[in-house]
């Protein structure tokens, strides 16, 4: 037989626990509802946290990949030049002899007689000959240059050609990396890269280090010469990377480089200056001079 006293005590204990629970948490049906709502709330918070983590992770990955792609494009020279300016000249002055002082980058040093050069009407002019003439900025000494300039013949080419040489790294008069752009009748363009060296280990003094890419001109050129934009980069040492592009200045800059090259000639693995030169072919029956409308030199990425 059960002990009545024990049963009574247990019953009282149970009733007391139920009374306390009812007083603190409410009736049993309400407690069940609250428990269910709490479970739903906790579940919703967990799901929201997971979704936030997934979204945050996706955003981080896409942002990182985007920055990485931007860095790769910069390293490959894609897009416009954006590096710090090392030198610049808009040639907004008059100089009857020589090219004078640049807007930024020091004084121009010209090859040969100053009478073969002048600055007028917003352009630096070179009286062309069959031998290269031009100027360079000796104060600019760098091993990562990004040079942009616009050039044009002073009159329409009818035969022969005008050769423009942009010195991306001029170590000396006989040492450097150059972008050679040949301007032909009808607005035609031929682009190549050349290195010039005095090193006895490299064989010939001058050597082409890229293919030649030709863009033919038009049969209907008109009465005005075609301005051509040129951009060249000379990057680093051992090896040095050289790349260039040329396009009609009236159009947008192409994304891709026209020519690419690499070289490790020992005497060229150091900083150099920048400059512009030109020469005319003997086929041209009258003198065709070159006008350099502007020049900007930036530090390449």
């Amino acid at each position: 037989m059960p002990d009545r006293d024990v049963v009574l005590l247990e019953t009282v204990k149970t009733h007391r626990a139920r009374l306390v629970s009812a007083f603190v948490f409410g009736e049993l049906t309400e407690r069940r509802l609250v428990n269910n709502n709490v479970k739903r709330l906790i579940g919703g918070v967990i799901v929201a946290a997971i979704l936030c983590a997934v979204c945050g992770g996706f955003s981080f990955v896409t942002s990182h990949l985007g920055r990485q792609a931007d860095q790769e494009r910069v390293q490959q020279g894609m897009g416009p030049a954006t590096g710090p300016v090392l030198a610049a000249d808009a040639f907004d002055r008059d100089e009857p002899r020589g090219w004078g002082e640049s807007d930024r980058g020091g004084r121009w040093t010209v090859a040969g007689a100053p009478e073969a050069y002048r600055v007028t009407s917003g352009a630096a002019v070179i009286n062309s000959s069959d031998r290269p003439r031009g100027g360079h900025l000796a104060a600019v000494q760098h091993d990562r240059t990004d040079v942009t300039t616009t050039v044009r013949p002073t009159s329409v080419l009818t035969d022969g050609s005008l050769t423009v040489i942009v010195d991306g790294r001029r170590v000396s008069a006989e040492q450097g990396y150059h972008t050679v752009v040949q301007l032909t009748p009808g607005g035609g363009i031929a682009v190549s890269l050349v290195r010039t060296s005095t090193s006895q280990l490299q064989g010939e003094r001058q050597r082409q280090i890229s293919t030649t890419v030709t863009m033919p001109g038009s049969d209907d050129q008109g009465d005005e010469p075609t301005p051509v934009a040129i951009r060249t980069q000379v990057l680093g040492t051992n090896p040095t990377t050289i790349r260039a592009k040329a396009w009609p200045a009236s159009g947008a800059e192409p994304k891709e480089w026209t020519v690419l090259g690499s070289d490790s000639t020992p005497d060229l693995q150091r900083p150099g200056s920048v400059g512009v030169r030109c020469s005319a072919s003997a086929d041209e029956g009258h003198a065709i001079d070159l006008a350099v409308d502007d020049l900007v030199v930036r530090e390449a990425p």
Side-chain angles (χ1 to χ4, degrees):
M1 294 291 293
D3 190 335
R4 291 179 176 273
D5 292 337
V6 172
V7 172
L8 180 62
L9 291 174
E10 290 295 330
T11 301
V12 171
K13 182 178 179 181
T14 301
H15 287 174
R16 184 174 57 193
R18 289 177 178 175
L19 287 174
V20 171
S21 297
F23 179 77
V24 175
F25 300 109
E27 296 183 3
L28 185 59
T29 55
E30 293 179 356
R31 275 184 279 160
R32 288 175 179 171
L33 182 61
V34 170
N35 288 340
N36 291 336
N37 290 338
V38 169
K39 290 177 181 178
R40 292 191 186 101
L41 177 62
I42 293 174
V45 170
I46 293 174
V47 171
I50 293 173
L51 290 176
C52 288
V54 170
C55 292
F58 179 78
S59 176
F60 173 79
V61 170
T62 53
S63 176
H64 177 72
L65 291 176
R67 287 195 300 270
Q68 194 174 51
D70 290 340
Q71 289 174 356
E72 289 177 356
R73 283 193 292 269
V74 169
Q75 290 171 357
Q76 295 172 3
M78 302 297 184
T82 57
V85 175
L86 303 175
D89 204 345
F91 301 107
D92 290 329
R93 58 185 180 276
D94 289 320
E95 296 282 351
R97 299 170 69 253
W99 285 354
E101 189 87 11
S102 67
D103 297 335
R104 181 174 179 177
R107 190 170 186 82
W108 285 97
T109 301
V110 295
E115 289 78 13
Y117 308 87
R118 66 186 184 277
V119 179
T120 182
S121 302
V125 180
I126 306 172
N127 296 341
S128 62
S129 71
D130 58 349
R131 297 182 63 83
R133 287 176 173 169
H136 68 280
L137 294 170
V140 179
Q141 295 289 322
H142 213 282
D143 63 357
R144 300 186 69 85
T145 57
D146 189 338
V147 184
T148 304
T149 188
T150 303
V151 300
R152 55 182 169 83
T154 55
S155 60
V156 175
L157 291 170
T158 56
D159 56 18
S161 63
L162 194 63
T163 301
V164 181
I165 305 167
V166 178
D167 298 320
R169 180 183 297 173
R170 183 187 186 276
V171 176
S172 74
E174 298 182 348
Q175 297 168 289
Y177 292 114
H178 327 286
T179 296
V180 179
V181 179
Q182 189 175 39
L183 308 180
T184 57
I189 305 171
V191 188
S192 62
L193 302 174
V194 172
R195 74 106 174 99
T196 305
S197 170
T198 58
S199 174
Q200 299 298 318
L201 301 176
Q202 301 303 312
E204 68 272 27
R205 188 181 70 86
Q206 189 173 82
R207 188 178 71 183
Q208 186 169 319
I209 55 176
S210 75
T211 59
T212 298
V213 177
T214 301
M215 293 165 273
S218 170
D219 293 334
D220 184 17
Q221 180 180 357
D223 299 329
E224 295 295 328
T226 303
V228 175
I230 303 170
R231 183 181 174 193
T232 182
Q233 289 185 343
V234 182
L235 311 169
T237 57
N238 294 311
T240 296
T241 299
I242 311 98
R243 49 200 182 197
K245 60 179 77 171
W247 67 97
S250 58
E253 177 181 341
K255 180 180 178 181
E256 302 294 334
W257 294 97
T258 308
V259 288
L260 299 167
S262 181
D263 184 70
S264 298
T265 302
D267 59 329
L268 305 181
Q269 306 309 303
R270 48 179 165 160
S273 61
V274 298
V276 181
R277 296 176 287 152
C278 83
S279 64
S281 71
D283 296 334
E284 188 66 39
H286 58 284
I288 298 291
D289 299 334
L290 181 75
V292 183
D293 290 335
D294 55 64
L295 181 139
V296 178
V297 183
R298 296 179 181 271
E299 181 180 348

